[in-house]
Amino acid sequence: MTKIDNTLGYMICRTARKVHRHMEKIFSPYGLTLEQWVALKVISENPGCSQKELAALLDKDQNTVKAMVDRLLQKEYVQRMVNPNDRRAFILEIAPLGEKTIVELSAQDEQENRILETGLGPEQTAQLRMLLQAAEKLVQE
């Protein structure tokens, strides 16, 4: 019988937790979790998206995303605007504080990712991306 800490699923989760904890140290001084940072970046890359679209882009439950957006609104990182094409709906935009924060944190985020990629090297990085994509396809719901 294989020990749990040698199983592929456990190793992926353990590595993800370590990367997550490491990255949280970058975002916590800004009052952001890693998930909130990702949402902020996705909104900035998809201006005018709805919460429903954001949930799909993040591959998260709509209620989870609503709570996340509510926290980003409270922190004044994003703003909810009336959709000009549908006055009953809202779109998400990055607020001025969010823009400033994205500029400040993007460089740090990219640096941390470069450290990972440099440590692995270009071939292993490409291979890891391919393997993670393949593993993700195997566990699609």
Side-chain angles (χ1 to χ4, degrees):
M1 179 179 254
T2 306
K3 289 179 65 174
I4 186 74
D5 59 347
N6 287 329
T7 62
L8 192 54
Y10 183 82
M11 292 175 76
I12 291 170
C13 288
R14 182 180 60 221
T15 303
R17 277 192 310 274
K18 288 181 178 183
V19 170
H20 190 275
R21 279 195 306 265
H22 179 76
M23 298 299 281
E24 286 272 326
K25 292 175 187 172
I26 296 167
F27 307 117
S28 64
Y30 292 82
L32 291 169
T33 64
L34 180 57
E35 288 81 11
Q36 290 168 351
W37 166 250
V38 172
L40 193 62
K41 284 289 284 187
V42 170
I43 295 167
S44 74
E45 293 168 358
N46 299 275
C49 69
S50 67
Q51 277 185 196
K52 184 176 181 179
E53 291 167 332
L54 180 61
L57 290 166
L58 295 174
D59 193 25
K60 290 194 178 283
D61 176 80
Q62 287 186 40
N63 291 328
T64 301
V65 171
K66 182 193 179 313
M68 191 182 316
V69 168
D70 287 346
R71 285 190 289 279
L72 291 171
L73 284 162
Q74 287 175 330
K75 296 172 185 179
E76 299 182 0
Y77 286 121
V78 299
Q79 43 197 351
R80 217 180 252 140
M81 313 289 281
V82 174
N83 185 335
N85 300 323
D86 181 356
R87 311 254 337 128
R88 299 167 295 162
F90 293 95
I91 58 174
L92 300 170
E93 296 287 345
I94 302 296
L97 180 59
E99 292 284 353
K100 179 180 180 273
T101 303
I102 288 169
V103 169
E104 291 175 14
L105 287 176
S106 288
Q108 292 179 56
D109 185 30
E110 290 170 15
Q111 179 182 349
E112 291 301 320
N113 280 291
R114 267 194 308 276
I115 289 169
L116 279 171
E117 292 179 16
T118 301
L120 291 174
E123 287 179 23
Q124 285 182 310
T125 296
Q127 187 176 22
L128 181 57
R129 276 194 178 99
M130 181 190 67
L131 292 170
L132 288 171
Q133 288 170 343
E136 185 178 9
K137 284 181 184 175
L138 291 173
V139 295
Q140 290 292 331
E141 298 175 292

